Structure formats: C-alpha cells, structure tokens
Amino acid sequence: MELLVIRHARPEAEVRDDGPADPPLSPLGLRQAEATADFLAGETVDAIVTSTMRRAIETGRPLAERLDISPERLDGLKESDHQRTSYTPIEDMDKDHEVIQEYLEDPLRMFSDGYDTFRYRIRDTFDAIVANHSGQAVAVFCHSMVASVYLQTVLGHDDPFALICDYGGISRVTASSTGIRTVRSINETAHLRHLP
C-alpha cells in the first residue's frame, strides 16, 4: 500500500487561556490546501486520514470533498506540542520567541509527552493505518514533527530534526504488511510553487 504523508498547510497564530491552541488555516494555508487537493485529485487516493487537530483537518478537507471520501481522524497523529496554549508559525518567530529559546535550551522539550513516547505513538499509528488499509493509497494529513519523525523511523535515524517538511509538503512511503517500508519521496512541493 502507499502512504501519502502530507504536512498541514500554513495556519494562523493562536493564543488561548482555556486550553491547547488549535488554530485554523490562514488565508494562504487555505490556498495551499486547495492546491494540494488539485494535485492529489489526479492520483489514486482510496482513503484519507487526518490528525484530530484543526489545521490538519482543514488541509485534508478540499481533497476529501473532491473525492467524496469521509476522512478518518486519528488522535495518534497529533503534533508533538499539542498541549501548548499558543501556536505561532515558525516563520513568524524571532530569535527571542519562547519556542526558539526552549529549543535552544533543550530541543526535545517540544515533545509534550517525551520524545520516545511521541516516536512510538507515531510509529504505532502509521502501522495501524497500514494494517487497516491493505492494498490502498492513503493520504495522511498530519504535522511537521509527525511526518518528520515517521520518515526518520523508516530511515533509521534518531535525530527528530534531521528532516523538516514544508507546509503542504508530500512524502511518499510504500508499506508492506510484512513490515518493509520504502521511502519514495520526501517533501514534494512543486504543486505549491505558484503560491507566495
């Protein structure tokens, strides 16, 4: 089966005092989601899976509507910092932003549940998608660290920051029921080049 691992499009910034931040897509992000759907609508996609976070759901929605597929939402695809009460796109952070400072002090601090727990959650969630969709092509709309850590797991790397996917970036993994995983591409973005 084929996994299309897609990072969500660009979201808005959000700060909340009543729980974790879960921002919607920005106007540019909505255009990125449409462009991603336009591109993938010409391919075989049998199922769509999204994180339970709003930015991933909204990124997958245009493709789901074009293909008339009801997406499955999996909590196991949530981002590493899903418990934070604020979200700022990395492009909007300056060197003094608290996330940048935390990263410089301890890069693994961004994993709310701990890096090993996050890594195993991601691996197990993708393994379940493979098991439940044998022989299908599945578009998985998720997050930067989710996509990066999954690809690193497949490639046998330990550094969670070695691969970072762009907004709307598509990576392809062929997955066998025998456990063999083959990375076919990482971070395809040609479908977004016409956008600013």
Side-chain angles (χ1 to χ4, degrees):
M1 63 94 65
E2 182 177 26
L3 293 167
L4 304 170
V5 183
I6 305 144
R7 183 186 179 190
H8 64 76
R10 184 174 172 143
E12 299 279 7
E14 182 178 73
V15 177
R16 297 181 67 160
D17 56 11
D18 61 345
D22 193 15
L25 294 183
S26 67
L28 174 59
L30 292 169
R31 292 172 61 200
Q32 291 170 335
E34 291 290 339
T36 301
D38 289 342
F39 179 68
L40 292 177
E43 298 190 22
T44 298
V45 175
D46 302 300
I48 296 172
V49 177
T50 74
S51 156
T52 53
M53 300 184 82
R54 187 173 178 184
R55 55 195 182 268
I57 293 168
E58 290 184 0
T59 305
R61 183 174 295 138
L63 181 64
E65 290 173 353
R66 281 172 180 72
L67 301 180
D68 195 26
I69 295 174
S70 295
E72 176 184 5
R73 296 179 185 169
L74 297 180
D75 208 42
L77 294 172
K78 287 187 300 192
E79 182 59 300
S80 59
D81 61 352
H82 64 90
Q83 296 176 12
R84 290 187 77 94
T85 57
S86 65
Y87 178 93
T88 304
I90 190 75
E91 298 80 7
D92 295 340
M93 293 181 190
D94 61 27
K95 64 180 177 60
D96 297 321
H97 192 280
E98 67 177 336
V99 171
I100 300 295
Q101 291 303 310
E102 288 173 8
Y103 174 80
L104 293 173
E105 291 170 15
D106 178 8
L108 297 184
R109 186 173 168 189
M110 71 182 302
F111 295 94
S112 301
D113 303 322
Y115 174 62
D116 288 337
T117 300
F118 179 77
R119 184 178 174 107
Y120 297 139
R121 169 169 60 88
I122 298 309
R123 181 201 62 200
D124 293 348
T125 301
F126 274 96
D127 284 351
I129 293 169
V130 171
N132 293 332
H133 295 279
S134 178
Q136 294 185 320
V138 181
V140 181
F141 290 88
C142 56
H143 306 270
S144 177
M145 289 279 59
V146 173
S148 296
V149 167
Y150 180 63
L151 292 169
Q152 289 149 14
T153 299
V154 172
L155 294 169
H157 292 289
D158 290 326
D159 180 358
F161 306 102
L163 297 170
I164 300 296
C165 297
D166 294 312
Y167 294 123
I170 301 168
S171 300
R172 299 171 192 265
V173 176
T174 300
S176 165
S177 60
T178 64
I180 296 172
R181 306 289 185 261
T182 304
V183 176
R184 295 180 48 229
S185 73
I186 295 176
N187 199 35
E188 296 174 23
T189 57
H191 60 288
L192 302 172
R193 287 187 187 150
H194 64 287
L195 297 174

